Amino acid sequence: MPSSPTPSPTPGPSGVRRRSLLGAAAAAPVLASLAGAESAAAAPASAGADPAGGPRALPGGGDLGPNVIVFDPSTANIQGRLDEIFKQQESAQFGTGRYALLFKPGTYSGLNAQLGFYTSIAGLGLSPDDTTINGDVTVDAGWFDGNATQNFWRSAENLALVPVSGTNRWAVSQAAPFRRMHVRGGLNLAPDGYGWASGGYIADSRIDGTVGPYSQQQWYTRDSSVGGWLNAVWNMVFSGVEGAPAQSFPEPPYTTLETTPVSREKPFLYLDGAEYRVFLPEKRTDARGVSWGNGTPRGTSLPLTQFYVAKPADSAATLNQALEEGLHLLLTPGIYHLDRTVEVNRAGTVVLGLGYATLIPEGGVTALKVADVDGVRLAGFLVDAGPVNSATLLEVGPEGASADHSANPTTVQDVFVRIGGAGPGKATTSLVVNSRHTIVDHTWVWRADHGDGVGWETNRADYGVVVNGDDVLITGLFVEHFNKYDVQWNGERGRTVFFQNEKAYDAPDQAAIQNGSVKGYAAYKVGDDVAEHEGWGLGSYCYYNVNPSIVQHHGFAAPNRSGVRFHGLLVVSLGGNGQYECVINDTGSPTSGTDTVPSKVVQYP
């Protein structure tokens, strides 16, 4: 995400800065001192053949592995351990380190947990208030000269914070969820010095004080409570948020829905006495405010013994065996190389990743497929394309899926996709949603614009998200840099609340993006035959830095029907590197030359 000048209560530096200005630092070696980290239980037995010649049954439960670090209030030198991990991960944007920092219920004082790449911090209580840190969970951008536009892949969940200064700093961009948090103070979403930032996402959280976005270009907040909201830059979207600003798009650019149509919070690991369990929050309709209220959330839970606790050395065959035996999957932190597709065929299956567990498909396979069944929950992992082109990376439901899942939908939450950046990667289509009623709640699907293995054909990826299923809802949709359509929506009655997009930077010329007679592929395309669709708070930006003369006709394309409706649309040309002629179809003013000023459409049609 490049950045732009922004009206802000606190002035920041001027000029357009880009993610690609600086490379990513190489990962430091894995900390040898973490090899003896605390774990949950005894290690499970290895998979293998039993005396009868068949596969040995896989155990449930077991050790959470060396990169899950579990603290309790009596743990010595917690700050030292946090600092050690941060030093390794601070600038390791495309490194191999993956960590989950888990805090048992209780009170911790004097901590500042700085989070680097691929680091998740979470409390192990049933409610955020069960685990209180008198201190901070901090994301800043010192590693990138005060520019937070590359602060990706980190998360905070299920904690109460009492910030030392009264305000906690969370200066992030994409793929950095702030979920199920209680901040007993304010929240600052900008880096020190108020440099650029392009996040972000908050859900199921209570911020007692004011949220200050400052330089954040766009943000989505869902089913939460805030004590106030300071400002807006381009695109601030709220659904089901107590204390949110009133609807006022285009100026200030607040898009506010009183409720979220359907939501079901992300599964999470917690402690019930000495036993680890995974809580499965219930579905809510027309939700508003946090799900955990003043205490226990509503839902069900599963013991860890019903999960296969996977390790990065596990093969796809082992993961599939665990699923076939009726186990759920808990993916411990690390990188999983898959020579075949992981097949989720059982209704109600949970696949939960810790610490940005990463799936890399090899030989052009699809990383993971879900059958057309009820209630699957995918959460908390990264899919990273392999060097051999995959037709798809993640499929929710097979082609032609048609079963009604309205009572118990599949949810995809904090599941992120990357093509290139950490090395060569290719995929024709990244995420395909075929099952009806699926809820995709916060995803960043990214064809890399910087790092290794990056180029117009080097990390070729034509389509980001393709939705074929009917009645699909996406809350918090971030999709960037694809060679053709970033989002193509063919299903009926689809809904999107918040969309953030950048067109690919690296198109070599106008011909490379030509779509028949149309100049460029829309960022968000609704199929020509779709009768009903609705979207709220959608933005697309262009930054054609290889060839600034490129013209993009529009950011959004949709059939002209009364049942296809959009609210709060904008397009931006960043510093005049490329231009939009319209916002949606042939409607909306062109972007304004070299001035980074959005062109907006309040309602369409």
Side-chain angles (χ1 to χ4, degrees):
M1 166 62 64
S3 45
S4 75
T6 168
S8 168
T10 305
S14 61
V16 176
R17 303 183 68 186
R18 302 175 296 282
R19 287 184 183 157
S20 52
L21 282 174
L22 304 178
V30 174
L31 294 176
S33 62
L34 294 181
E38 297 89 337
S39 60
S46 299
D50 68 16
R56 180 182 301 150
L58 294 169
D63 188 332
L64 296 180
N67 287 15
V68 175
I69 318 300
V70 181
F71 301 102
D72 66 46
S74 66
T75 302
N77 194 24
I78 296 175
Q79 188 65 54
R81 298 294 297 280
L82 298 175
D83 291 346
E84 193 177 17
I85 295 166
F86 177 65
K87 183 178 179 181
Q88 176 185 325
Q89 299 300 115
E90 180 183 12
S91 58
Q93 181 171 179
F94 297 112
T96 57
R98 303 284 188 275
Y99 293 97
L101 312 175
L102 305 182
F103 286 74
K104 293 181 180 181
T107 300
Y108 302 78
S109 295
L111 297 182
N112 180 18
Q114 300 181 82
L115 300 187
F117 287 97
Y118 314 109
T119 305
S120 298
I121 188 170
L124 287 170
L126 201 50
S127 164
D129 290 320
D130 292 341
T131 310
T132 298
I133 293 178
N134 290 310
D136 296 78
V137 171
T138 301
V139 178
D140 207 343
W143 75 279
F144 200 44
D145 293 336
N147 179 349
T149 59
Q150 291 184 25
N151 279 353
F152 313 138
W153 304 306
R154 63 202 75 196
S155 66
E157 298 184 51
N158 204 29
L159 292 165
L161 305 178
V162 184
V164 170
S165 69
T167 300
N168 189 78
R169 186 184 302 279
W170 186 255
V172 299
S173 288
Q174 286 77 11
F178 195 81
R179 281 187 183 270
R180 205 178 160 72
M181 297 286 287
H182 184 189
V183 181
R184 298 175 193 162
L187 189 63
N188 181 350
L189 303 179
D192 186 29
Y194 301 94
W196 312 128
S198 67
Y201 174 91
I202 294 171
D204 202 25
S205 294
R206 178 176 291 151
I207 293 91
D208 294 345
T210 297
V211 179
Y214 301 104
S215 54
Q216 282 286 354
Q217 293 159 340
Q218 69 280 313
W219 198 276
Y220 175 50
T221 307
R222 178 183 63 72
D223 298 355
S224 293
S225 173
V226 299
W229 193 274
L230 189 60
N231 71 295
V233 179
W234 290 343
N235 191 29
M236 300 290 171
V237 180
F238 307 84
S239 68
V241 178
E242 297 167 346
Q247 169 71 32
S248 59
F249 192 92
E251 192 57 43
Y254 294 129
T255 300
T256 303
L257 287 73
E258 283 296 305
T259 62
T260 303
V262 185
S263 59
R264 189 174 69 190
E265 298 304 330
K266 179 184 171 185
F268 61 92
L269 191 68
Y270 75 103
L271 276 172
D272 181 10
E275 179 190 15
Y276 283 90
R277 299 181 69 90
V278 173
F279 193 83
L280 307 177
E282 71 175 13
K283 187 186 77 170
R284 297 201 290 167
T285 302
D286 294 325
R288 182 171 173 83
V290 299
S291 70
W292 40 276
N294 294 315
T296 304
R298 297 176 64 90
T300 59
S301 72
L302 298 170
L304 194 64
T305 54
Q306 292 185 22
F307 285 77
Y308 178 68
V309 180
K311 304 302 193 321
D314 284 328
S315 66
T318 299
L319 301 181
N320 281 328
Q321 181 187 339
L323 292 167
E324 289 164 7
E325 291 176 3
L327 293 169
H328 306 276
L329 294 182
L330 185 73
L331 304 173
T332 63
I335 296 175
Y336 297 71
H337 292 272
L338 307 175
D339 63 354
R340 66 188 72 178
T341 300
V342 175
E343 304 271 2
V344 179
N345 296 319
R346 189 180 72 257
T349 300
V350 179
V351 180
L352 176 62
L354 300 179
Y356 286 82
T358 301
L359 309 180
I360 301 180
E362 297 182 337
V365 303
T366 297
L368 189 147
K369 293 183 179 181
V370 180
D372 194 21
V373 295
D374 271 1
V376 171
R377 305 185 195 225
L378 308 180
F381 57 89
L382 171 65
V383 179
D384 200 355
V388 178
N389 185 75
S390 294
T392 59
L393 292 174
L394 177 63
E395 293 183 19
V396 181
E399 184 177 353
S402 60
D404 186 324
H405 303 296
S406 55
N408 190 9
T410 285
T411 48
V412 182
Q413 300 177 282
D414 298 347
V415 174
F416 308 116
V417 178
R418 178 173 70 197
I419 301 96
K426 291 186 177 183
T428 303
T429 304
S430 295
L431 170 61
V432 180
V433 181
N434 292 318
S435 286
R436 293 182 62 195
H437 302 102
T438 298
I439 300 171
V440 180
D441 175 43
H442 190 224
T443 188
W444 184 39
V445 181
W446 185 56
R447 176 182 168 264
D449 61 275
H450 62 271
D452 293 331
V454 171
W456 183 249
E457 296 295 343
T458 306
N459 63 329
R460 181 86 192 186
D462 284 352
Y463 306 102
V465 175
V466 174
V467 179
N468 297 317
D470 294 341
D471 307 293
V472 171
L473 170 67
I474 305 186
T475 51
L477 178 59
F478 299 73
V479 188
E480 297 187 305
H481 307 310
F482 286 84
N483 295 76
K484 293 185 178 180
Y485 292 124
D486 298 275
V487 174
Q488 185 168 0
W489 204 302
N490 302 316
E492 285 289 354
R493 297 175 299 281
R495 292 175 291 182
T496 296
V497 184
F498 181 89
F499 172 66
Q500 182 267 318
N501 165 262
E502 284 182 344
K503 295 304 299 173
Y505 294 174
D506 53 351
D509 50 42
Q510 189 73 41
I513 67 161
Q514 193 69 16
N515 181 15
S517 62
V518 179
K519 299 173 185 174
Y521 289 79
Y524 189 107
K525 164 69 173 176
V526 179
D528 294 341
D529 296 329
V530 171
E532 293 183 49
H533 187 91
E534 194 159 10
W536 297 263
L538 294 84
S540 177
Y541 323 138
C542 74
Y543 183 74
Y544 288 115
N545 63 334
V546 171
N547 189 335
S549 69
I550 289 175
V551 175
Q552 177 86 20
H553 180 61
H554 48 216
F556 304 89
N560 288 302
R561 294 190 179 96
S562 60
V564 178
R565 304 183 299 274
F566 290 92
H567 317 271
L569 294 167
L570 64 91
V571 296
V572 183
S573 169
L574 301 173
N577 291 275
Q579 299 291 337
Y580 290 94
E581 292 178 326
C582 304
V583 179
I584 180 169
N585 295 341
D586 300 321
T587 297
S589 301
T591 50
S592 51
T594 59
D595 294 329
T596 304
V597 176
S599 177
K600 301 174 183 178
V601 169
V602 177
Q603 302 282 350
Y604 185 87

